[in-house]
Amino acid sequence: MEQNDGKTYLERLTDLVTQGRFGAVKDLANDAVPLAMQQAEAVRERHGENDPKYADAVREVANRLQLAGRSGEAIPLMRTALQIYERTKKA
């Protein structure tokens, strides 16, 4: 993985897309999946499985999986996040 020069994940991702380096985008996203999974687990433990914050964290894992070319893994997580949002939306 490349040096990140203190940039955030999103900044590095934006730079790579701007440069047309889509293979590197996939690598960056794939490398970021484990951390996103850890963060989602921490949010679940703190807020529970029926909290929109957990849905946000699950969606973030799915986004990174999708960017990494792992749509088959991302789709069920997107569905899970959507179900949480639907259950928790205010009337």
Side-chain angles (χ1 to χ4, degrees):
M1 189 167 185
E2 299 178 13
Q3 293 276 337
N4 67 26
D5 299 326
K7 293 184 176 183
T8 66
Y9 166 79
L10 186 56
E11 290 169 334
R12 289 182 285 155
L13 184 68
T14 301
D15 288 348
L16 293 172
V17 169
T18 301
Q19 296 165 10
R21 298 177 56 203
F22 301 108
V25 167
K26 284 178 74 172
D27 291 342
L28 177 63
N30 198 53
D31 289 346
V33 168
L35 179 58
M37 288 177 154
Q38 289 174 359
Q39 290 171 333
E41 180 61 21
V43 171
R44 185 190 65 77
E45 288 175 3
R46 182 176 179 136
H47 298 284
E49 292 181 357
N50 292 310
D51 189 288
K53 291 175 187 169
Y54 179 59
D56 292 343
V58 169
R59 191 186 70 221
E60 187 60 36
V61 174
N63 288 341
R64 291 174 189 210
L65 285 166
Q66 189 171 9
L67 280 172
R70 297 164 60 182
S71 295
E73 295 171 73
I75 291 169
L77 294 176
M78 284 292 197
R79 287 184 180 132
T80 297
L82 179 59
Q83 290 168 348
I84 296 167
Y85 290 135
E86 288 174 343
R87 283 194 307 264
T88 60
K89 71 179 178 183
K90 294 184 180 186

